[in-house]
Amino acid sequence: AGVLKAGTDVDCTSFVGAHAQSALDKGLITTADLDARLAMLFRVRMRLQHFDPPGPLQQIPPSDVCSPYAKALARDGVAQGATLLKNTAKRLPLDAKALKSVAVLGPNANLSKAIAGYYGGNSCDNAFLNMVDAIAQAGAFTTTTALGVPTVTSDDTSGVAAAAALAKAADVTVLVLGTDLSGA
């Protein structure tokens, strides 16, 4: 109920679908709450011309989506969307030619298909690249990886020592942290 009352129009997980009927039955939400959220959602979809007549987004052929230009544009978008919190030692950007080894650590280091599925599951060439793949493609250095903990919600720290050893042996360590759908 709180999700809808907070003004959420789109639920990208299955939370609303799984709990809306129960919330309706308990009187926590009303059909008017659902109607208001759907009206907002469909207003946006209508502005994007998702319905008759087909809009410009529907005119883009699938072959354009995975074109070299589109792939480069997507990669650039990710790079521009990354946030660097602090670079006081001026260690970034890294010089890939000077590196011999990179350790990629964290429970999301090899998260790819799971997160892609969250956003629709489509990929170019059926490739679901992850952070380990991206870093390995960036240079001729050795790339090693360890999760440290199995998932972002796990209390199992049995892999932390092995991850720390990889970090100690590497020239550079990249931590891949964040959230996933394991707690959803």
Side-chain angles (χ1 to χ4, degrees):
V3 172
L4 295 178
K5 299 278 185 178
T8 300
D9 296 328
V10 177
D11 173 25
C12 292
T13 64
S14 58
F15 183 81
V16 171
H19 301 287
Q21 187 62 55
S22 175
L24 274 169
D25 295 344
K26 292 175 183 173
L28 299 173
I29 60 173
T30 66
T31 55
D33 294 325
L34 293 172
D35 289 345
R37 303 285 60 88
L38 286 170
M40 293 298 292
L41 175 62
F42 279 95
R43 183 175 294 129
V44 171
R45 292 197 63 201
M46 290 174 88
R47 288 177 61 203
L48 291 171
Q49 297 181 333
H50 285 178
F51 306 105
D52 292 333
L57 294 177
Q58 285 74 36
Q59 303 304 319
I60 300 171
S63 58
D64 284 357
V65 174
C66 290
S67 69
Y69 170 76
K71 289 179 186 179
L73 189 62
R75 191 176 198 95
D76 186 52
V78 170
Q80 289 187 39
T83 302
L84 177 63
L85 298 178
K86 202 171 195 180
N87 191 24
T88 55
K90 305 295 184 221
R91 297 216 167 103
L92 297 175
L94 296 173
D95 180 2
K97 293 177 184 167
L99 297 175
K100 291 186 179 91
S101 62
V102 176
V104 185
L105 309 177
N108 289 344
N110 62 7
L111 185 67
S112 58
K113 190 167 187 174
I115 199 72
Y118 176 71
Y119 288 103
N122 298 321
S123 75
C124 295
D125 310 319
N126 202 27
F128 293 92
L129 301 179
N130 56 40
M131 185 61 80
V132 176
D133 298 324
I135 289 172
Q137 291 173 4
F141 43 78
T142 301
T143 305
T144 56
T145 186
L147 301 182
V149 293
T151 68
V152 297
T153 58
S154 176
D155 291 330
D156 178 2
T157 59
S158 62
V160 171
L166 284 179
K168 188 173 183 178
D171 293 335
V172 172
T173 299
V174 175
L175 291 177
V176 188
L177 308 171
T179 61
D180 64 16
L181 297 178
S182 62

